[in-house]
Amino acid sequence: MKNLSLVLAILAGVVFAPFGGGAFAATLTANVSLSTQTMTVIHRGRVIAHWPVSTARRGKITPTGSWSAKWLSRNHRSSRYNNAPMPYSIFYNGNYAVHGTYETKRLGRPASSGCVRLAPANAAKLFALAQAEGLKNTRINVRY
């Protein structure tokens, strides 16, 4: 039994270590790469999606780190940026969120004010999974 526990711990470290989640095994993880402008979604240990994203454009910041989801807002509007639509928002670090965008032509390159933008259909899928798994079981990891 100890050997099995050790093997599982090592495997968890291999899966989550690149994004800093070794001590926290979320059932839903969104790994965002700033360098490739992509998100890889892992649900219950399986990669289920690989999507283009847009993160902060020049002069803005998308913070790097690892957070659990804090709150959800299905039809959010930005109070900072002229009431801009932010459908299917998953807030993870203060005012930073993963959310849908209607500027889908800009996905795959930096274009946001700091949030992680997805195509609306992909944001809806991630939002539904976060609702189903629960906020404390949803992890957002942002790395270069």
Side-chain angles (χ1 to χ4, degrees), residues 1 19 29 36:
M1 191 61 147
F19 287 95
T29 304
T36 63

Side-chain angles (χ1 to χ4, degrees), residues 53-142:
V53 299
S54 284
T55 60
R57 64 186 178 268
R58 187 180 309 262
K60 301 291 184 176
I61 296 170
T62 298
T64 57
S66 184
W67 302 269
S68 60
K70 304 296 187 249
W71 60 286
L72 304 173
S73 181
R74 187 174 188 278
N75 295 304
H76 196 77
R77 294 230 168 227
S78 174
S79 59
R80 291 180 166 218
Y81 297 101
N82 299 322
N83 211 30
M86 298 171 57
Y88 305 104
S89 291
I90 302 170
F91 285 87
Y92 61 89
N93 178 24
N95 292 314
Y96 292 97
V98 172
H99 65 81
T101 182
Y102 300 113
E103 296 183 37
T104 56
K105 287 187 262 179
R106 299 175 85 182
L107 292 172
R109 62 181 187 248
S112 80
S113 294
C115 287
V116 177
R117 295 179 181 177
L118 289 167
N122 296 339
K125 290 173 191 170
L126 186 64
F127 186 92
L129 285 168
Q131 274 186 319
E133 295 299 323
L135 296 176
K136 67 183 177 186
N137 294 317
T138 300
R139 198 87 184 150
I140 309 297
N141 300 311
V142 181

Side-chain angles (χ1 to χ4, degrees), residues 1-69:
M1 191 61 147
K2 283 184 182 180
N3 289 341
L4 178 60
S5 296
L6 178 61
V7 168
L8 291 174
I10 290 169
L11 288 174
V14 169
V15 171
F16 295 107
F19 287 95
F24 177 78
T27 56
L28 177 63
T29 304
N31 291 326
V32 177
S33 169
L34 299 178
S35 62
T36 63
Q37 293 291 292
T38 58
M39 174 187 288
T40 301
V41 180
I42 301 168
H43 183 236
R44 299 184 181 231
R46 285 187 42 235
V47 173
I48 62 164
H50 189 72
W51 297 320
V53 299
S54 284
T55 60
R57 64 186 178 268
R58 187 180 309 262
K60 301 291 184 176
I61 296 170
T62 298
T64 57
S66 184
W67 302 269
S68 60

